[in-house]
Amino acid sequence: MHATIRKFFQKDLVEVELFLPWSAQYLRGKIFADCDVLDERADNDGAFLRVRGDGDTVKGLQEQLEAISGN
């Protein structure tokens, strides 16, 4: 029963990996506030965050990060 309830509430969630450059760390709080951060690793250029969140929220974050990185 518990798994069924959880699945119902998570049905509209997406899971993606976001790249957060060190120059955009001001978005870190927003990512942690708006998404569940499942994993995090870093390199010399920034942090890679595997997140789960509402599709629209995740898409908005992806667009912001793409604008910053120029992709």
Side-chain angles (χ1 to χ4, degrees), residues 43-57:
D43 67 12
N44 291 335
D45 299 319
F48 297 86
L49 305 167
R50 190 165 53 98
V51 303
R52 181 183 302 132
D54 172 74
D56 291 336
T57 300

Side-chain angles (χ1 to χ4, degrees), residues 1-56:
M1 180 73 165
H2 178 55
T4 303
I5 293 169
R6 181 186 301 167
K7 195 174 192 178
F8 173 79
F9 284 107
Q10 292 181 346
K11 70 180 181 195
D12 295 326
L13 301 181
V14 296
E15 192 173 307
V16 299
E17 182 172 84
L18 301 174
F19 174 69
L20 181 62
W22 296 127
S23 62
Q25 289 299 302
Y26 60 90
L27 288 174
R28 185 178 183 80
K30 181 170 180 49
I31 293 169
F32 274 80
D34 294 348
C35 300
D36 290 325
V37 178
L38 307 173
D39 188 44
E40 179 177 3
R41 60 186 168 68
D43 67 12
N44 291 335
D45 299 319
F48 297 86
L49 305 167
R50 190 165 53 98
V51 303
R52 181 183 302 132
D54 172 74
D56 291 336

